[in-house]
Amino acid sequence: MPLDRQQARKAKLAPRRQPQQARAKQKTQQILDTTARLLDEVGFDDLTTILIAKELGISVGALYQYFPNKHAILHALGAVWLERMTAALAETERQAIESMDVASFIELQIDTMLTVYREQRAILPLAQALWAIPELRDLDAEHDEVVISHFMRMYKRLGFTQGERELNRIGRLHLEASHALLLTVVDQSPERSAKSLLDLKALCSHLLNRHLGN
């Protein structure tokens, strides 16, 4: 995407104000929490700034003082998710990965990511929005690159010797499988979720064991 178009798109998604005072920060968080709840209840198509403002008990004009449109609020929700995922993966990297086998590493990595998925309300419609809405795809791509870069560093500590391009390819497969099935895991009944989680871990362990030492 040309730089000027990318900058224009980011400008449309930027919050109207960066909250500095406690009251403004509280209102911004309230907007995000309310949007997440409504996104979970009505889905993306029926989510509107009018509905969000009504739930908050404010005018649409007052809402626009914080965010210029619905996509900007969803972008902010996605940015928070990315921030939490980055923190979780950084915590995984602080563990003694060199002493782990692949199964132990996958157990740690999947469980850590699952916590973030479960804590994010409306994760399924939010993930769908990040992928489907053109204005949000840059954030979706950023999320992928952040996760893959963490994976690649951890692969090297596990003993992977492939070059950067191949590690990136493996990391993308690992991410796509994890992301798709974690969305399934958090959406299923407890019994089915537990079985799907075991299958996800077995799938990712097989993927990495297949390439370890090659």
Side-chain angles (χ1 to χ4, degrees):
M1 181 187 301
L3 184 59
D4 55 345
R5 287 180 59 193
Q6 186 175 25
Q7 289 173 337
R9 177 172 291 179
K10 287 183 177 180
K12 290 181 180 179
L13 298 173
R16 292 292 191 193
R17 61 171 72 173
Q18 294 296 333
Q20 301 297 328
Q21 298 181 350
R23 184 176 180 180
K25 291 179 180 179
Q26 183 180 14
K27 177 57 70 175
T28 299
Q29 188 59 53
Q30 188 180 8
I31 293 170
L32 296 180
D33 291 343
T34 299
T35 301
R37 176 173 59 80
L38 291 172
L39 184 62
D40 199 26
E41 293 174 359
V42 307
F44 171 75
D45 289 337
D46 291 328
L47 180 71
T48 65
T49 52
I50 294 174
L51 180 58
I52 295 169
K54 181 179 179 181
E55 287 292 308
L56 289 165
I58 62 176
S59 68
V60 175
L63 177 64
Y64 286 161
Q65 291 179 16
Y66 291 87
F67 294 97
N69 50 55
K70 178 176 73 172
H71 290 171
I73 306 175
L74 292 174
H75 187 280
L77 281 175
V80 171
W81 182 37
L82 174 57
E83 181 181 323
R84 290 173 178 166
M85 184 61 69
T86 301
L89 289 169
E91 176 59 30
T92 304
E93 282 201 72
R94 286 192 282 271
Q95 307 305 310
I97 294 172
E98 291 84 355
S99 64
M100 297 179 185
D101 58 16
V102 166
S104 298
F105 166 70
I106 289 297
E107 185 81 14
L108 172 66
Q109 175 259 310
I110 294 294
D111 285 348
T112 300
M113 290 182 69
L114 177 58
T115 298
V116 181
Y117 278 68
R118 281 182 169 156
E119 288 177 347
Q120 176 61 57
R121 187 162 188 176
I123 181 58
L124 183 57
L126 177 60
Q128 292 170 337
L130 290 174
W131 180 81
I133 300 170
E135 289 85 354
L136 305 182
R137 285 178 188 161
D138 289 344
L139 183 61
D140 188 49
E142 181 184 352
H143 169 270
D144 289 355
E145 292 308 315
V146 166
V147 175
I148 291 169
S149 66
H150 279 281
F151 282 175
M152 290 171 65
R153 289 194 295 270
M154 291 188 280
Y155 294 162
K156 293 175 184 178
R157 293 171 61 190
L158 282 169
F160 282 64
T161 58
Q162 290 89 339
E164 294 293 307
R165 185 173 181 178
E166 178 64 3
L167 287 179
N168 184 281
R169 187 188 71 82
I170 296 169
R172 184 163 293 280
L173 288 175
H174 184 178
L175 169 61
E176 295 293 347
S178 298
H179 179 61
L181 290 178
L182 283 172
L183 289 174
T184 299
V185 166
V186 299
D187 195 48
Q188 288 180 323
S189 66
E191 182 180 357
R192 290 174 66 86
S193 176
K195 291 179 179 178
S196 296
L197 184 60
L198 289 175
D199 287 339
L200 169 58
K201 291 176 179 178
L203 178 66
C204 291
S205 292
H206 176 75
L207 171 66
L208 296 195
N209 273 317
R210 183 172 182 274
H211 292 284
L212 183 62
N214 292 340

